[in-house]
Amino acid sequence: MTSALPIPTTLDAVPAAVEAALEVFFGRAVPVAADVDPQVGEAGEVVRDFVLQGGKRVRPVFAYAGWLAGLSSSGRELPATGPDSPGAQDALRVAASLELVQACALIHDDIIDRSDTRRGRPTVHRVFERRHIDDGWAGDAAHHGAAAAILLGDLALAWADDMVHGHHPGDATVPGETAPRPLPASVGRVWSSMRTEVLGGQYLDIVNEAGGDESVDAAYRVMRFKTAAYTVARPLELGATLASAPASLIGDLRSIGHDLGVAFQLRDDLLGVFGDPDRTGKPSGDDLVAGKRTALLAVGLARAGERDPALAERLRAAVGRPLTEDEVRTARSILTDVGAVDEIETQISGLLTSALATLGAADMSEPVRTELGAFAHRIAHRTT
Amino acid sequence: MTSALPIPTTLDAVPAAVEAALEVFFGRAVPVAADVDPQVGEAGEVVRDFVLQGGKRVRPVFAYAGWLAGLSSSGRELPATGPDSPGAQDALRVAASLELVQACALIHDDIIDRSDTRRGRPTVHRVFERRHIDDGWAGDAAHHGAAAAILLGDLALAWADDMVHGHHPGDATVPGETAPRPLPASVGRVWSSMRTEVLGGQYLDIVNEAGGDESVDAAYRVMRFKTAAYTVARPLELGATLASAPASLIGDLRSIGHDLGVAFQLRDDLLGVFGDPDRTGKPSGDDLVAGKRTALLAVGLARAGERDPALAERLRAAVGRPLTEDEVRTARSILTDVGAVDEIETQISGLLTSALATLGAADMSEPVRTELGAFAHRIAHRTT
């Protein structure tokens, strides 16, 4: 069930509109959780706050851009963007629901990676671990924190599916609400593929990490599914499919999505080692400490190994354990000196150029082409 | 996208039909997982095998029963049950998708409860822990096992939502398949409420356990949402709503569902302490070892405490730690001697009687009324 929400007319307006849509969803869902028990309502508020208190809304922006691009293709009219436009309401809702998938991915990833902080705040499992300690509860506080975070991530994933289909928990219908328009099967297929791919990419990531596969190939394979498809390509396709875009445009958006998605992750890799903790909300050198098998690390190890096996060994020794500031600096120097940083920057530039070339020739109209191009630049060169 | 599947005409035929529907779904979904990487395909097979190798298909049977009851209400005709009946295909698909929700619930619950076995086999997180050890991988094997099981549970939950809506991952359409009929908003609301309730009930369970709430009230509150609504009441309602059943019947099915669902869980509590390991697939006294806050234990502690605080203390000492066979026997004796077992059996009988009385007066026709009554007896008196 949906109530009319303000419709964004530019990509810059998407994050605020998405947050408003999520507020409405949580306004329905959290009270149903509270009906189970007030403590469950509080847990629902933790999910709500996690989603609303941070994030760049990258996936919703791409989904909405895909929808605008689809509508603008093949000489179509631009959409009616009034609050009574059902197509726009659907697009906004589908875009916003991606933030709930992402909430599950982050909450569960933080358990898996044993991360203490996220967006400058304690991670969800640490919040519940801390509550367990503060309340003097019985049993293993860390295990309790992980258990609570598993269930809250599940709740976010279930809610993502509710929201994308225009449903929400609770028996009551709200006066003035219209029944949701069912998601077309073509859109359902994209949604379905996206979730299988991101979970598959995450699984492959932990298997590669445990198996010690530090190859460049393995890092790119994980990146392709865990990030590129999930963060850019599938969201663009989701929106465009909802707009019944022609196959040629969907093909172009997939290509743009792959290029930008890999560029997004490569920038993430650089920020994970070289980023400013005050801006990223993560500790200095966090990816090294966490032992993430990034492309940056894979390229760095390969290049260091070619130059001097001892150098590769020094870099490898700075992965997957707590590091002093000095050790972080040393690892950064190796990555820079062997040319890994330059190589990743060159790749990002090349991918951005390729994405912009495909965008320039794609079957869509202004202003979405220019706006998407500007967003692509920001994604590839972001500092947070 | 759905292909026509054999349609069950009796409740006894539902489990096999549900398994056939799940086979078809996995036949589409697992290859998409394998496209990410062959290792992800193998993980998808673990989910498939977990779902297909065991389980009583209780939730699908209730969902299908609700659908048949709905169709048989208010003098309606019995459904066309040929393989070309789209309503029957929808009912089967919705019923089968409950097994994927259940797979997520069990896989994640087993991490949370630190269970080693499920249905006589190693739990999913233990399978991946073992593989990690056998392959001599780096890092913490138990943590890796939990991480893999978190992601596989997520995959099962995502697939549940795909299946209920008639979607599946993958870009290809299959020749001869028809587009799925969208789930009505009324059904979506039930599906949505059910998932929020079961996750809320599970969350409440771990909070009560950590907080040491051993009250009878707390145990019944968890039971109401974690089991009764999720296992019986909501599945019945899901099917009946899909059949556009009248509100009076849905009200009756909710009442039947609550009674049978609580009876189901109370039987589970008895089997968890007194069950035959060869039949239940769980070790002797498993619920005691696991420290589950069951109604049986809550009643036992309350009654023992009334008789003699030292007796309650002896029972409490047998909860949440490894036990010898002698210690299990002692705990069983206390539960029996204080009358907790009799009280739970009496409650089961009373709940079954109440459910059957509501069933007898409910607006549905034969044969579903008799079949549902027979299934209710089996649920309340099962030994596995």
Side-chain angles (χ1 to χ4, degrees), chain B residues 55 62 76 93 128 209 240 281 314 337 365:
Chain B
F62 280 120
R76 284 172 168 222
R93 189 189 78 216
F128 285 93
E209 190 180 321
R314 277 178 61 205
D337 293 348
S365 313

Side-chain angles (χ1 to χ4, degrees), chain A residues 153-383:
Chain A
D154 290 349
L155 190 60
L157 186 57
W159 283 355
D161 277 288
D162 292 339
M163 190 176 188
V164 81
H165 292 287
H167 304 145
H168 58 75
D171 297 321
T173 51
V174 177
E177 278 191 333
T178 51
R181 306 196 312 169
L183 222 52
S186 54
V187 178
R189 254 196 322 264
V190 180
W191 177 259
S192 174
S193 297
M194 182 193 73
R195 280 144 54 263
T196 294
E197 285 164 357
V198 65
L199 289 165
Q202 287 175 306
Y203 174 80
L204 188 61
D205 198 10
I206 66 165
V207 169
N208 286 347
E209 190 180 322
D213 188 341
E214 60 183 34
S215 68
V216 175
D217 274 3
Y220 277 86
R221 191 158 191 90
V222 168
M223 193 154 46
R224 183 172 152 209
F225 291 102
K226 183 173 172 177
T227 311
Y230 166 59
T231 305
V232 193
R234 290 297 192 185
L236 280 170
E237 186 183 355
L238 200 61
T241 306
L242 191 63
S244 304
S248 63
L249 176 57
I250 289 183
D252 283 346
L253 289 173
R254 283 186 182 174
S255 166
I256 293 166
H258 172 269
D259 289 345
L260 277 187
V262 174
F264 177 89
Q265 183 58 51
L266 292 176
R267 176 61 61 203
D268 210 59
D269 292 357
L270 288 170
L271 290 169
V273 177
F274 294 89
D276 175 356
D278 289 343
R279 295 184 63 90
T280 62
K282 293 180 196 172
S284 174
D286 195 41
D287 279 5
L288 294 171
V289 173
K292 286 199 188 155
R293 301 277 144 187
T294 63
L296 173 65
L297 180 65
V299 169
L301 286 170
R303 282 175 167 253
E306 283 163 22
R307 191 181 291 185
D308 175 4
L311 195 64
E313 213 36 67
R314 279 178 61 204
L315 181 55
R316 203 172 280 117
V319 173
R321 62 177 181 83
L323 299 173
T324 64
E325 275 300 315
D326 256 4
E327 289 173 319
V328 171
R329 263 193 295 274
T330 302
R332 284 177 180 159
S333 296
I334 297 172
L335 289 167
T336 306
D337 293 347
V338 299
V341 173
D342 281 349
E343 181 174 330
I344 298 295
E345 286 286 5
T346 303
Q347 283 186 27
I348 293 173
S349 293
L351 288 160
L352 180 59
T353 302
S354 167
L356 293 174
T358 311
L359 180 65
D363 173 17
M364 69 178 79
S365 313
E366 294 298 348
V368 64
R369 190 197 309 273
T370 297
E371 285 195 68
L372 192 48
F375 192 64
H377 271 285
R378 270 158 54 196
I379 285 295
H381 295 300
R382 74 192 197 282
T383 56

Side-chain angles (χ1 to χ4, degrees), chain B residues 55-93:
Chain B
K56 295 179 283 289
R57 318 297 177 205
V58 171
R59 293 158 194 85
V61 170
F62 280 120
Y64 204 79
W67 182 69
L68 288 172
L71 284 183
S72 82
S73 66
S74 298
R76 284 172 168 222
E77 293 294 308
L78 269 176
T81 51
D84 54 350
S85 158
Q89 296 288 339
D90 292 347
L92 184 56
R93 189 189 78 216

Side-chain angles (χ1 to χ4, degrees), chain B residues 209-256:
Chain B
E209 190 180 321
D213 188 341
E214 59 183 35
S215 68
V216 175
D217 274 2
Y220 277 87
R221 190 157 192 87
V222 168
M223 195 153 47
R224 183 174 152 207
F225 291 102
K226 185 175 171 177
T227 310
Y230 166 60
T231 304
V232 193
R234 291 296 192 184
L236 281 170
E237 186 182 356
L238 200 62
T241 306
L242 191 63
S244 305
S248 63
L249 175 58
I250 289 185
D252 282 346
L253 289 173
R254 282 186 183 174
S255 167
I256 293 166

Side-chain angles (χ1 to χ4, degrees), chain A residues 11 20 30-31 35 42 45 57 59-60 75 82 98 107 115 119 128 144 156 202 229 248 253 282 309 352 374 376:
Chain A
L11 293 191
V30 172
D35 282 345
E42 288 166 25
E45 287 169 10
R57 318 299 177 205
R59 292 158 195 85
L98 290 165
I107 292 169
S115 302
R119 299 171 183 160
F128 284 93
H144 175 78
Q202 287 175 306
S248 63
L253 289 173
K282 293 180 196 172
L352 180 59

Side-chain angles (χ1 to χ4, degrees), chain B:
Chain B
M1 300 291 157
T2 43
S3 295
L5 282 161
I7 291 303
T9 52
T10 67
L11 292 191
D12 283 345
V14 170
V18 158
E19 285 156 20
L22 287 162
E23 287 270 19
V24 170
F25 179 85
F26 288 123
R28 304 284 159 71
V30 172
V32 176
D35 282 346
V36 175
D37 189 274
Q39 296 180 92
V40 178
E42 287 166 26
E45 287 169 11
V46 171
V47 174
R48 183 194 63 198
D49 294 347
F50 182 86
V51 171
L52 293 179
Q53 282 176 351
K56 295 179 283 289
R57 318 297 177 205
V58 171
R59 293 158 194 85
V61 170
F62 280 120
Y64 204 79
W67 182 69
L68 288 172
L71 284 183
S72 82
S73 66
S74 298
R76 284 172 168 222
E77 293 294 308
L78 269 176
T81 51
D84 54 350
S85 158
Q89 296 288 339
D90 292 347
L92 184 56
R93 189 189 78 216
V94 167
S97 62
L98 291 166
E99 288 295 282
L100 285 163
V101 178
Q102 177 66 353
C104 170
L106 295 178
I107 292 170
H108 284 178
D109 250 11
D110 285 340
I111 305 171
I112 292 169
D113 294 342
R114 296 189 178 89
S115 302
D116 299 322
T117 57
R118 159 78 59 192
R119 298 171 185 160
R121 294 190 175 83
T123 48
V124 171
H125 62 109
R126 293 289 184 232
V127 167
F128 285 93
E129 179 181 353
R130 168 53 50 197
R131 189 175 299 184
H132 187 286
I133 294 167
D134 289 346
D135 290 355
W137 282 353
D140 180 336
H143 186 79
H144 175 79
I150 288 172
L151 294 173
L152 263 59
D154 290 349
L155 191 60
L157 185 57
W159 283 355
D161 277 288
D162 291 339
M163 190 176 188
V164 81
H165 291 287
H167 303 144
H168 58 76
D171 298 321
T173 51
V174 176
E177 280 192 332
T178 52
R181 305 195 314 167
L183 222 53
S186 54
V187 179
R189 253 195 323 263
V190 180
W191 176 258
S192 174
S193 297
M194 181 194 73
R195 282 148 47 268
T196 293
E197 284 164 358
V198 66
L199 289 164
Q202 287 175 307
Y203 175 81
L204 189 61
D205 199 9
I206 66 165
V207 169
N208 286 347
E209 190 180 321
D213 188 341
E214 59 183 35
S215 68
V216 175
D217 274 2
Y220 277 87
R221 190 157 192 87
V222 168
M223 195 153 47
R224 183 174 152 207
F225 291 102
K226 185 175 171 177
T227 310
Y230 166 60
T231 304
V232 193
R234 291 296 192 184
L236 281 170
E237 186 182 356
L238 200 62
T241 306
L242 191 63
S244 305
S248 63
L249 175 58
I250 289 185
D252 282 346
L253 289 173
R254 282 186 183 174
S255 167
I256 293 166
H258 172 269
D259 290 345
L260 277 187
V262 173
F264 177 89
Q265 182 59 50
L266 293 176
R267 178 60 61 203
D268 209 61
D269 292 357
L270 289 170
L271 289 170
V273 176
F274 294 89
D276 176 355
D278 288 343
R279 296 183 62 90
T280 62
K282 292 179 195 173
S284 172
D286 196 41
D287 279 6
L288 294 172
V289 173
K292 286 199 188 157
R293 302 278 145 187
T294 63
L296 172 66
L297 180 65
V299 170
L301 285 170
R303 281 173 167 255
E306 284 161 20
R307 190 180 294 184
D308 175 3
L311 195 63
E313 212 38 64
R314 277 178 61 205
L315 182 55
R316 203 172 281 117
V319 174
R321 64 177 180 83
L323 300 173
T324 65
E325 274 300 316
D326 257 5
E327 289 174 319
V328 171
R329 264 193 296 272
T330 303
R332 284 177 180 159
S333 298
I334 297 173
L335 288 168
T336 307
D337 293 348
V338 300
V341 173
D342 281 349
E343 179 174 332
I344 298 295
E345 286 286 5
T346 304
Q347 284 186 28
I348 292 173
S349 293
L351 288 161
L352 179 60
T353 302
S354 167
L356 293 174
T358 312
L359 180 66
D363 172 17
M364 69 177 82
S365 313
E366 293 298 348
V368 64
R369 191 195 310 272
T370 297
E371 286 195 67
L372 193 48
F375 192 65
H377 272 284
R378 270 158 54 195
I379 284 296
H381 295 300
R382 75 191 196 283
T383 56
T384 64

